[in-house]
Amino acid sequence: INMDKKKTFFLVTIFVSIMCLSACRHSNENTIRIGFFPNLTHSQAIYGYANGDFERAFGDQYQIKWQSFDAGPAEIEAMFAGEVNMGYIGPIPAINGYIKSRGDLKIIAGATLNGAMLVTRKDFVINDVKDLAGRTVAVPQFGNTQHLCLLNLLSANGIRTIEKGGNVKVIESSNPDTKTLMDKGDIDAALVPEPWATRLVNEIGVNILLDSAGDYSTAVIIVSTKFYEKNKDLVELFLKTHIEITEYINEHPEEAMIKINDKIGELTGNKLSADVLQMAFPNMVVTYDPNVPSIDNFMTIYQNEGFVQSVPNRNKVYDFEILNKLLRDKNLNEIRVEP
């Protein structure tokens, strides 16, 4: 009898273990992991998260798991670890991830353009980028979007950094530190993203040299290549929802930015003030267009500045097959990539 009990217990244990493993596997297969940053340039992600749009699009069969990040490299690492399937991210981390992984991610759509300002300290009023010669300019991080935009601006205006034989000193400074340095007069200018640009204007009276430092990609959507190849139907549902949210935000900006700001406050514990929100939100373009020429330009600058030796098969970082299908269905212009 004892042997029978032991056998029964053993068989029940195996059965339960198999069922648990099956349930876990089923859960993993039916969970869609979306990465994003809790800031304005990831507006569609935040609005969709707050409003439940992606959950409704995927239905009861799938569970959405939202993954919030503070830095691009962390999101890229999470994607390669299988913890993120698709995500909103800056174009520079996307490019870097594509290079380092040898093609294990794709850029499949855009999210926002612009959303940064080139500002000068209160007592340094200039009207031309050329007047930054001999000055010190801060960017949030070397090799990020704002840094590459600054390098492009300097080059376009015939001036160069100290490292390239010129006389413009570029320093790396976090956004809070930039405010302190500029207020003390330790730096002359800064290229900073929103909402920090507007905060600098409101809080320490900096001057706006350029209210949009060019027309460039600020955030794109990436997908794990493995996930993409196995789940094109899910990627299509995701992008369809992304386009619909984009259109809604552009048609109802006042309502949308309040909902986005409320969600940012919930996620970070720090909502933007109403005046900063009203000034900062219109400084970016909410879109599905990735602005391919600007990303191509970033790749060129990234290589020329020595951040990477080369960008192999650069056109393969893009895959707009699904996006263009959805745009055709809505009689919208498709996204082109030059060969």
Side-chain angles (χ1 to χ4, degrees):
I1 295 174
N2 287 339
M3 286 298 295
D4 288 342
K5 284 183 178 180
K6 286 181 180 179
K7 283 181 181 178
T8 301
F9 178 77
F10 180 69
L11 290 172
V12 169
T13 302
I14 291 175
F15 176 76
V16 170
S17 298
I18 291 171
M19 292 300 293
C20 286
L21 287 171
S22 176
C24 289
R25 185 164 56 249
H26 181 77
S27 173
N28 286 334
E29 289 174 353
N30 291 277
T31 299
I32 299 168
R33 298 164 176 81
I34 303 175
F36 74 104
F37 292 13
N39 62 36
L40 291 180
T41 57
H42 292 205
S43 286
Q44 297 97 320
I46 298 168
Y47 185 89
Y49 187 3
N51 209 43
D53 292 325
F54 290 101
E55 283 81 359
R56 281 192 295 275
F58 285 105
D60 295 336
Q61 186 180 354
Y62 294 95
Q63 177 186 356
I64 304 293
K65 184 176 181 181
W66 294 93
Q67 301 270 76
S68 177
F69 297 91
D70 294 321
E75 184 173 340
I76 294 295
E77 287 173 14
M79 177 167 281
F80 295 150
E83 296 165 5
V84 169
N85 305 128
M86 295 179 279
Y88 292 74
I89 199 168
I92 307 306
I95 293 165
N96 207 27
Y98 169 76
I99 295 167
K100 288 186 174 180
S101 69
R102 299 180 181 179
D104 280 351
L105 66 79
K106 299 174 180 290
I107 295 174
I108 56 173
T112 51
L113 307 178
N114 308 338
M117 290 187 195
L118 180 57
V119 298
T120 62
R121 68 172 192 266
K122 188 175 182 179
D123 58 347
F124 178 49
V125 182
I126 58 175
N127 298 309
D128 199 314
V129 173
K130 293 183 176 68
D131 295 328
L132 290 174
R135 300 292 181 167
T136 300
V137 186
V139 294
Q141 184 181 13
F142 288 148
N144 82 338
T145 303
Q146 286 77 44
H147 186 207
L148 296 197
C149 284
L150 176 64
L151 295 176
N152 189 47
L153 277 170
L154 297 178
S155 176
N157 283 274
I159 51 179
R160 293 176 294 175
T161 63
I162 291 172
E163 292 78 9
K164 292 293 182 179
N167 60 2
V168 178
K169 183 179 181 181
V170 179
I171 69 164
E172 184 180 50
S173 170
S174 70
N175 293 315
D177 287 346
T178 294
K179 177 185 172 184
T180 302
L181 292 171
M182 190 164 279
D183 199 25
K184 290 168 60 180
D186 292 341
I187 58 175
D188 303 297
L191 205 162
V192 288
E194 292 291 12
W196 277 97
T198 294
R199 285 190 60 181
L200 291 178
V201 173
N202 286 7
E203 294 172 16
I204 61 172
V206 300
N207 308 290
I208 300 172
L209 179 54
L210 291 175
D211 60 4
S212 178
D215 189 18
Y216 60 92
S217 172
T218 307
V220 296
I221 296 176
I222 58 172
V223 63
S224 156
T225 299
K226 291 176 184 175
F227 183 84
Y228 178 82
E229 290 172 351
K230 291 180 180 178
N231 301 282
K232 287 193 175 183
D233 56 333
L234 300 182
V235 175
E236 183 170 341
L237 264 179
F238 179 88
L239 288 181
K240 182 174 184 293
T241 308
H242 171 73
I243 293 170
E244 289 169 355
I245 294 171
T246 299
E247 292 175 329
Y248 187 86
I249 291 173
N250 285 315
E251 289 166 5
H252 307 86
E254 293 292 327
E255 180 269 329
M257 67 181 175
I258 291 170
K259 180 166 281 192
I260 291 164
N261 194 30
D262 287 344
K263 191 65 177 180
I264 289 173
E266 178 189 323
L267 293 166
T268 67
N270 187 23
K271 278 202 326 186
L272 300 174
S273 65
D275 57 338
V276 169
L277 182 66
Q278 288 286 344
M279 288 179 66
F281 198 81
N283 286 337
M284 66 181 187
V285 179
V286 180
T287 182
Y288 46 78
D289 186 341
N291 194 326
V292 170
S294 75
I295 300 175
D296 286 343
N297 192 37
F298 283 148
M299 285 193 270
T300 299
I301 299 169
Y302 205 55
Q303 182 176 339
N304 290 346
E305 292 294 325
F307 291 106
V308 290
Q309 289 185 337
S310 64
V311 186
N313 303 313
R314 55 164 59 195
N315 281 356
K316 290 187 178 179
V317 71
Y318 308 116
D319 192 323
F320 301 130
E321 175 191 355
I322 295 174
L323 177 63
N324 282 336
K325 174 182 178 293
L326 293 167
L327 296 179
R328 284 195 301 272
D329 291 345
K330 297 173 76 71
N331 294 316
L332 296 169
N333 292 331
E334 296 180 39
I335 308 302
R336 303 291 183 187
V337 178
E338 294 298 323

